[in-house]
Amino acid sequence: MEHPPVTAASGMEYARKVADAILYEGYLLYPYRRSSGKNRVRWQFGVIVPPGWAEAQGLADTSVAGSVEAPWQQTECLLKASPDETVICQVRFLQLQLKSVEERLADGSYRLVDSLSSGARLELGFDEAQPQEFDLRFSLRDVLDEPHEFGFQAPGGLDTEQVADEDGRPLGRVRRRRHPVPATVTVSAARVDADDGPRDVYRLRVHVANAGAVTPPGAARDEALAESLIACHVLLGADGGAFVSALDPPGWAGAAVEECANVHTFPVLAGPPGDEHVVLSSPILLYDHPRVAPESPGDLHDATEIDEILSLRTLTLTDAEKREARATDPRAAEILDRTESMPPEVFARLHGAVRSLRPMPDAAPEPPGDGVVVVAGVPVGRGSRVRLRPRRRGVDPQDRFLDGRTAQVEAVLTDVDDATHLAVTVEDDPAADLNRWYGRFRYFSPAEVEPLSAEADRP
């Protein structure tokens, strides 16, 4: 049976599940209640704030970190294509929606209140969000000579829903207000001359900027968020072109990839494995060809947790806690409904899955003594200094940014497969002492480090 050819459109559809998980990561965390402390500080990734407010707050960071708030983000990646190739660009983000609850007074006017109850129904004031998506198309040739700017705006609006008691008498109303969120997308391309590489290679740049001018410079963060692009990310597709992996580039592209400037976002190949038609540039670092676990029944807004654990915890909520969660946000109500109606066979799938069966790589050397392993002929143990050299494939993308950094070994550990791992603390990490106190380390195999002398290149 022949499979249909992979196109940019089909690749982007494949990537959409992961992109949606990025969109709602941290949106609302267990126990999904407004009163929970972890749900009072939200919107942590890909927040593109109004430029005037950002300047007043001194937000000038240009690192790759997507958890940093800034007035713009930038994606740069390599594309092998003819100059007449058409590129599809989707800019996706959340627009804040301010939900307020008002009580109806005897004279027909309304008063803002914290909550409104009608029988089994409870309404709470809370900040929700609306997904927004803007599609752009451009030819490489059109953006080679000079950048091209697109403008768009997520429209404002006000929706009102009346609330009545069980006899139909009006009790109040729920209002959802959205402020307009204007933005610009500037796209450009430059030819890349790579030795021993393909002839037509271009460095593609997509610069997304907040164009809002309403938020006062001295406003609180909550006010600035109403005019911000939240969880902003970009999908790029090309039917006749092939994007180059920024995590595992071919030899001819290594230097050109290093020169790509990605600010507050990072691009990965996002189509099915083996496909190079689509890139997802995300404020959360990902692997190439990421995907949502096929056994997952739905988003829980917390990719750092395990679906089975969160689902079981959700079932333990009391009736009062569930009522508050349902009143907090419709997405919380969806999680409760899905978890409570989940059949046993779905729970069984969540308990574990085998992704693939393949031979295990050669085990790391046996430690010659308690807590010591030999690396390049040098004994390495607790207190040793090493230079980090993460492997090119199958590594956590965040570890790639530690290449060349120095670290101190905190422990030598052996897992259930008798493979040896080094728990390390990065030496120039400002939070090193705190991480050491908490026991939060980074882990590398002996093959991913170079032993150092006690004083060599000490930061």
Side-chain angles (χ1 to χ4, degrees), residues 197-373:
R199 178 172 175 269
D200 290 325
V201 179
Y202 300 91
R203 178 176 291 106
L204 182 63
R205 174 185 291 177
V206 179
H207 187 279
V208 182
N210 191 315
V214 175
T215 305
R221 180 178 184 267
D222 288 347
E223 188 174 346
L225 287 173
E227 201 182 13
S228 296
L229 293 76
I230 298 171
C232 184
H233 58 276
V234 172
L235 278 167
L236 296 170
D239 280 332
F243 290 95
V244 177
S245 170
L247 290 174
D248 188 21
W252 61 265
V257 166
E258 290 291 335
E259 293 175 0
C260 289
N262 288 288
V263 181
H264 306 313
T265 187
F266 192 81
V268 297
L269 300 178
D275 176 58
E276 299 174 334
H277 292 294
V278 175
V279 152
L280 168 59
S281 190
S282 160
I284 299 174
L285 296 177
L286 302 169
Y287 300 95
D288 281 335
H289 308 293
R291 66 169 183 162
V292 174
E295 62 272 9
S296 176
D299 198 355
L300 295 169
H301 310 317
D302 191 349
T304 65
E305 274 283 10
I306 300 173
D307 281 26
E308 181 187 27
I309 294 175
L310 278 182
S311 298
L312 290 172
R313 285 177 174 173
T314 300
L315 291 177
T316 67
L317 295 175
T318 66
D319 289 342
E321 289 173 325
K322 291 179 180 178
R323 185 168 186 256
E324 183 188 344
R326 293 182 187 279
T328 295
D329 192 280
R331 297 187 72 86
E334 290 176 11
I335 291 173
L336 290 174
D337 291 341
R338 183 174 68 240
T339 304
E340 291 177 336
S341 62
M342 197 179 297
E345 58 269 22
V346 175
F347 263 112
R349 289 202 303 268
L350 294 181
H351 190 62
V354 176
R355 295 282 177 243
S356 63
L357 295 173
R358 61 185 184 276
M360 291 294 294
D362 293 338
E366 286 290 332
D370 185 20
V372 177
V373 64

Side-chain angles (χ1 to χ4, degrees), residues 29-215:
L29 300 177
Y30 173 88
Y32 310 116
R33 305 193 312 268
R34 184 188 67 171
S35 60
S36 174
K38 65 176 73 174
N39 289 320
R40 295 177 184 176
V41 181
R42 303 164 70 203
W43 325 117
Q44 301 299 314
F45 303 101
V47 180
I48 312 301
V49 298
W53 188 81
E55 182 179 2
Q57 308 304 313
L59 302 179
D61 181 274
T62 56
S63 71
V64 73
S67 58
V68 176
E69 294 170 4
W72 56 274
Q73 67 175 208
Q74 176 176 287
T75 297
E76 284 193 353
C77 57
L78 301 188
L79 174 62
K80 297 179 292 182
S82 75
D84 293 317
E85 179 67 30
T86 296
V87 178
I88 305 170
C89 176
Q90 291 182 349
V91 180
R92 309 174 78 240
F93 60 93
L94 291 178
Q95 176 188 19
L96 197 66
Q97 179 169 271
L98 308 173
K99 175 189 174 186
S100 59
V101 179
E102 298 178 353
E103 178 186 38
R104 191 174 191 272
L105 303 179
D107 61 1
S109 62
Y110 291 88
R111 178 183 65 183
L112 185 68
V113 292
D114 183 65
S115 64
L116 196 63
S117 179
S118 173
R121 179 178 180 180
L122 175 66
E123 294 288 351
L124 300 173
F126 194 65
D127 288 347
E128 303 172 343
Q130 288 274 66
Q132 298 290 352
E133 181 177 305
F134 293 88
D135 293 349
L136 316 171
R137 288 177 179 263
F138 56 89
S139 166
L140 275 178
R141 190 181 298 278
D142 291 341
V143 300
L144 270 175
D145 296 330
E146 60 183 19
H148 187 85
E149 182 177 286
F150 299 87
F152 62 83
Q153 176 171 283
L158 175 63
D159 302 327
T160 301
E161 177 187 1
Q162 299 295 327
V163 178
D165 64 15
E166 295 175 337
D167 296 324
R169 292 187 295 265
L171 287 179
R173 62 188 182 185
V174 176
R175 312 194 88 187
R176 291 176 167 89
R177 184 185 302 274
R178 298 170 300 281
H179 295 282
V181 181
T184 61
V185 180
T186 305
V187 296
S188 60
R191 185 181 291 274
V192 173
D193 294 322
D195 296 338
D196 302 323
R199 178 172 175 269
D200 290 325
V201 179
Y202 300 91
R203 178 176 291 106
L204 182 63
R205 174 185 291 177
V206 179
H207 187 279
V208 182
N210 191 315
V214 175
T215 305

Side-chain angles (χ1 to χ4, degrees), residues 384-386 450-458:
S384 298
R385 299 183 65 243
V386 295
E450 299 171 357
L452 292 175
S453 64
E455 297 301 327
D457 298 330
R458 185 176 290 278

